Amino acid sequence: MSLRARLALFLALSIGLALLFQGALSYLAFKRLLEADLDRSLLFFVGALSEGRRPPRGEFAFRLVRGEEAHQSPNFPDWPRLTPGAYWREGWRVLVLEVPGGTLTVARYDPGAVAALQSFRLALLGTGGALTLLFALLASRVAQVALRPLSRLTEVAQRVADSGDLSHRVEAKGSGELKALAESFNHMLERLQAFLDRERRFTRDAAHELRTPVAAALAQVEGAEAGYLPKEEALQAAKEELLRMKRLVEALLVLAREGRVERVGLDLAALARQEAEAFRVPYQGPEALPFLGDPLLLAQALRNLLQNARLHGEGRGVEVALREEGQEAVLEVRDQGPGMPEEALKEAGRPFFRASGKPGEGLGLSVAQKVAEAHGGRLELLANRPSGLVARLRLPLPTGGASGPP
């Protein structure tokens, strides 16, 4: 069932129930008014019986029961004894009254009143049903107008699905939830288009970077087979190209993991100190710092920063520092090399970006940035005064029941 049909059905049912409720109240009020009028005439008939006066106009009957003795009018119907109260019986309005020594039953035959009540019920049901059907048709039209913004959004979504063109946009008109939905849909398309653009650029750059070492290794092998190069020299060169391709593939695999991080308790200070010792650079920071994260990814990120500092910082003044700032752990690598221009600092986290012509794949800082983001943090690149670069990983510290290594 379409949303328009559902909304129209809901409106029609709501109106139908409201009409039914109002009709039931009207019927009860009319019935009580009619019964009160008949009961007054029956009480007047009782007074006439007791005083020997003429009964009111209409067909009345009575039955007086005292003990086993019963006295009744000739037209009194053949009914069993009734308990005191008011009744409707076969077109008769009946009142049963307690009198000294017995009970008095008086009744008035008024088929017109019964027919009036029946006609009232039929009129209520008929007009209620007709009005409900009319309102259902009107509600269908109203629902179509009310859901027009949603229909436009559906049409645009269908065009995007059929053509794959993410440049389509929904015209956000009016106000309220539907306008907010249209704006959110447009924002989603913008984000998706930007993501696809980044993916296309990344795939193009990755294909280019992977093709280069493969072509170089193949050229070395073919040169050796043709006798242009010594086999040992060609084998060594091909091995270096294959190792470069291996580093590329490993970095691409890390980038492909995105937010899939297996967090475990670890000592971030011990990890930083271990990597600093491996690169033979000084470490400054606490002896221990509990953290929740992926130790392999964090070690890879720090290793990339150290390799970057050694390569581009020309190995001068490289050091690793760790400290706490508020709810964050700040892990940074400083060098005293030439640093990067301001424009290069903005682009340095982009895959395959190279700030200089020095060898490298252009993925080290991208991997570090992805690792930081996967842990809920970020990578900052700042100038190290008077010269050099500060690569800083800001990682949120565990809170609550989180703990470090066992």
Side-chain angles (χ1 to χ4, degrees):
M1 182 182 291
S2 66
L3 182 59
R4 176 185 171 186
R6 286 175 183 269
L7 186 57
L9 181 61
F10 173 76
L11 291 174
L13 286 177
S14 300
I15 293 172
L17 289 174
L19 289 174
L20 180 63
F21 181 71
Q22 184 182 16
L25 291 179
S26 299
Y27 174 76
L28 290 175
F30 176 69
K31 184 169 180 281
R32 286 185 179 179
L33 184 64
L34 186 62
E35 289 175 346
D37 184 61
L38 292 173
D39 292 347
R40 276 197 302 272
S41 69
L42 287 171
L43 292 175
F44 186 79
F45 175 61
V46 172
L49 285 176
S50 60
E51 296 173 1
R53 293 185 283 107
R54 291 183 59 185
R57 298 177 62 182
E59 186 177 355
F60 291 86
F62 73 94
R63 181 173 64 187
L64 177 62
V65 178
R66 284 177 173 158
E68 297 300 327
E69 182 182 355
H71 178 66
Q72 64 183 41
S73 62
N75 61 342
F76 193 85
D78 185 17
W79 292 335
R81 289 187 179 182
L82 301 174
T83 56
Y87 306 90
W88 281 99
R89 286 251 175 174
E90 302 166 358
W92 292 79
R93 177 64 178 173
V94 182
L95 280 182
V96 181
L97 306 171
E98 291 182 345
V99 297
T103 58
L104 173 64
T105 303
V106 290
R108 176 177 178 178
Y109 183 64
D110 194 344
V114 177
L117 290 175
Q118 187 175 7
S119 298
F120 198 97
R121 288 197 299 268
L122 290 175
L124 286 178
L125 291 176
T127 54
L131 287 175
T132 301
L133 181 60
L134 179 63
F135 279 119
L137 297 176
L138 182 62
S140 176
R141 180 62 180 165
V142 171
Q144 182 183 12
V145 175
L147 295 176
R148 190 167 294 161
L150 196 58
S151 300
R152 288 198 295 267
L153 190 144
T154 305
E155 291 172 3
V156 172
Q158 189 63 46
R159 285 204 298 272
V160 171
D162 293 340
S163 64
D165 184 2
L166 298 176
S167 63
H168 295 289
R169 294 292 182 273
V170 181
E171 189 177 0
K173 289 183 177 179
S175 60
E177 292 82 358
L178 290 177
K179 183 182 179 184
L181 179 62
E183 291 174 345
S184 299
F185 182 77
N186 289 337
H187 183 60
M188 181 191 70
L189 288 179
E190 291 169 2
R191 294 285 304 271
L192 190 58
Q193 189 170 23
F195 172 77
L196 289 179
D197 290 342
R198 287 197 304 271
E199 286 296 305
R200 291 193 187 101
R201 186 170 59 186
F202 178 78
T203 304
R204 184 178 63 248
D205 293 344
H208 173 73
E209 294 297 329
L210 286 172
R211 189 167 53 238
T212 301
V214 171
L218 184 60
Q220 294 292 334
V221 173
E222 289 176 347
E225 288 178 343
Y228 300 134
L229 295 172
K231 288 187 177 179
E232 292 77 8
E233 180 182 344
L235 184 62
Q236 181 61 31
K239 183 179 179 181
E240 290 177 358
E241 294 297 336
L242 290 175
L243 287 174
R244 180 188 171 195
M245 190 168 66
K246 178 175 178 289
R247 291 194 296 272
L248 273 170
V249 171
E250 289 175 346
L252 291 174
L253 287 175
V254 172
L255 292 176
R257 290 181 63 176
E258 295 184 347
R260 298 190 297 275
V261 175
E262 296 179 3
R263 296 172 186 258
V264 297
L266 59 93
D267 185 349
L268 191 59
L271 185 145
R273 191 167 49 247
Q274 181 180 350
E275 294 300 323
E277 290 173 358
F279 279 78
R280 301 181 184 279
V281 299
Y283 163 78
Q284 294 181 355
E287 287 297 320
L289 181 59
F291 190 74
L292 275 179
D294 189 320
L296 295 178
L297 288 182
L298 290 171
Q300 181 65 49
L302 183 54
R303 206 171 299 145
N304 287 358
L305 297 183
L306 284 165
Q307 287 173 346
N308 194 67
R310 174 179 288 178
L311 179 64
H312 300 283
E314 301 170 356
R316 292 180 299 184
V318 177
E319 62 181 12
V320 175
L322 176 65
R323 62 180 181 277
E324 291 185 54
E325 285 187 3
Q327 297 299 316
E328 291 181 326
V330 179
L331 179 60
E332 64 183 23
V333 176
R334 302 193 192 100
D335 67 65
Q336 297 178 7
M340 287 187 189
E342 288 292 330
E343 294 300 322
L345 287 175
K346 298 176 183 176
E347 296 288 329
R350 184 166 60 81
F352 303 109
F353 175 81
R354 293 190 180 94
S356 68
K358 293 183 178 180
E361 291 77 28
L363 290 174
L365 292 178
S366 299
V367 170
Q369 180 172 280
K370 282 289 183 183
V371 170
E373 291 173 354
H375 286 80
R378 63 189 184 279
L379 171 67
E380 293 178 347
L381 297 175
L382 307 169
N384 186 24
R385 304 300 178 190
S387 66
L389 180 71
V390 179
R392 183 177 294 162
L393 292 172
R394 286 191 172 275
L395 305 169
L397 287 169
T399 58
S403 62

